[in-house]
Amino acid sequence: MSNKAIAITVLILLAATGYLLAVSDEPIDMGGEKHGAEATQAHDQSKEAKENKESKPAEQK
């Protein structure tokens, strides 16, 4: 592959990445990895709900 082909490939990939970031519904955050209250992840909430459900004993009649 020539240098020209590599440069064109890199430019195409950069343009595609910029386009996808521009049209996405999520805000662009270049702040890095989040910890604590800033980190909101849906799978953690469902995991907690499952643990709470399992920890409650079933009511006996």
Side-chain angles (χ1 to χ4, degrees), residues 22-42:
V23 299
S24 69
D25 291 337
E26 296 292 319
I28 298 172
D29 183 12
M30 300 297 288
E33 190 173 343
K34 303 290 182 205
H35 298 280
E38 304 164 340
T40 55
Q41 296 178 350

Side-chain angles (χ1 to χ4, degrees), residues 1-58:
M1 239 180 169
S2 69
N3 288 341
K4 186 177 180 180
I6 293 172
I8 291 172
T9 303
V10 169
L11 289 174
I12 290 171
L13 290 173
L14 285 172
T17 303
Y19 172 76
L20 291 174
L21 285 172
V23 299
S24 69
D25 291 337
E26 296 292 319
I28 298 172
D29 183 12
M30 300 297 288
E33 190 173 343
K34 303 290 182 205
H35 298 280
E38 304 164 340
T40 55
Q41 296 178 350
H43 66 275
D44 286 343
Q45 293 172 355
S46 63
K47 188 177 183 180
E48 289 176 13
K50 185 177 180 182
E51 289 174 358
N52 289 338
K53 186 177 181 182
E54 290 174 355
S55 66
K56 292 181 182 177

